[in-house]
Amino acid sequence: MTEHASRFIRLETPHYLLRTLEPADATASWGDWLTDPAAAQNLNARPVRMSIEAIRDYVEKFDRATAHLLGIFVKDTNALIGIRSIYVDWKRREFLVNVLVGESEARNKGARGETRTVMYRYFFEELGLDAARCSVVSTNAPMLAVMTRNGWRHEHISRKPNANGEGTVELHHFRLTRDAWRQKEHES
């Protein structure tokens, strides 16, 4: 399989299944995730309810080669509680990662951390990518602390228009190399 080939990803952890999303995975509950003001603010998104059709259209935009949308499912119930979007830059051998645990009752219960390990292992070791990138809004102090704790290197700060139309937001940009990830994994 070439690096640009379309892939269906399925990764398991003790409590979660992380897999490529299909349009049929769209749920009304997922459509409500961005109505949570805190979630919308952390993503610099407008608080909006998405229709099932809009979610299906969103899922269709991911080509599974350079853009992956992975669902975080609870193994015991098969409930979709979050998503990870990953954008691969094959030329630079890097990937940009975003995560949202959308179901409020599932937050801070380990889904993000538990699926993080298998996701990085797949993109670093299976696909052979050299680094991951992400950005975090400056108001998301808990996530900024997670980045530092997990070995991400702060690269720079940028500003972009606030999705709510009021001023700008500050984004902290981070990079995690495969070697830094491996070192953190061995420390765990």
Side-chain angles (χ1 to χ4, degrees):
M1 185 179 279
T2 66
E3 60 188 29
H4 299 291
S6 180
R7 294 172 165 76
F8 183 89
I9 299 171
R10 180 184 170 90
L11 307 168
E12 291 191 41
T13 74
H15 303 101
Y16 303 97
L17 171 65
L18 185 67
R19 71 159 171 82
T20 299
L21 284 166
E22 304 280 352
D25 292 316
T27 65
S29 176
W30 179 359
D32 289 337
W33 291 352
L34 288 181
T35 62
D36 176 350
Q41 179 183 353
N42 287 339
L43 296 173
N44 189 34
R46 288 188 327 200
V48 64
R49 177 169 283 113
M50 291 178 64
S51 69
I52 289 180
E53 196 54 44
I55 294 169
R56 288 180 181 147
D57 290 344
Y58 176 69
V59 172
E60 290 283 346
K61 292 178 182 178
F62 290 81
D63 67 8
R64 300 180 183 183
T66 60
H68 300 272
L69 185 61
L70 307 179
I72 303 170
F73 295 85
V74 176
K75 273 186 168 178
D76 291 346
T77 64
N78 200 36
L80 175 65
I81 60 164
I83 57 174
R84 285 185 174 276
S85 60
I86 299 122
Y87 303 90
V88 178
D89 181 338
W90 288 106
K91 185 175 181 179
R92 293 178 68 186
R93 313 284 313 155
E94 295 182 339
F95 60 101
L96 173 71
V97 62
N98 301 295
V99 63
L100 170 64
V101 175
E103 294 295 335
S104 58
E105 67 275 0
R107 292 184 192 142
N108 301 312
K109 303 237 169 107
R112 185 180 36 81
E114 198 171 307
T115 60
R116 175 183 59 230
T117 301
V118 295
M119 188 235 6
Y120 288 144
R121 186 175 299 123
Y122 181 82
F123 284 90
F124 282 140
E125 305 297 355
E126 296 294 320
L127 297 186
L129 298 172
D130 296 326
R133 292 189 176 273
C134 80
S135 59
V136 179
V137 295
S138 62
T139 56
N140 192 347
M143 187 54 70
L144 290 170
V146 166
M147 303 305 288
T148 301
R149 188 172 57 245
N150 288 334
W152 289 78
R153 190 181 85 231
H154 188 267
E155 291 204 311
H156 66 277
I157 296 173
S158 69
R159 298 192 79 73
K160 69 183 279 188
N162 192 325
N164 70 13
E166 299 174 9
T168 61
V169 294
E170 187 176 86
L171 296 174
H172 290 254
H173 298 266
F174 293 89
R175 185 170 187 264
L176 177 69
T177 65
R178 180 174 49 207
D179 290 339
W181 172 76
R182 285 176 177 163
Q183 182 177 345
K184 278 294 187 187
E185 283 299 292
H186 291 304
E187 291 173 4
S188 300

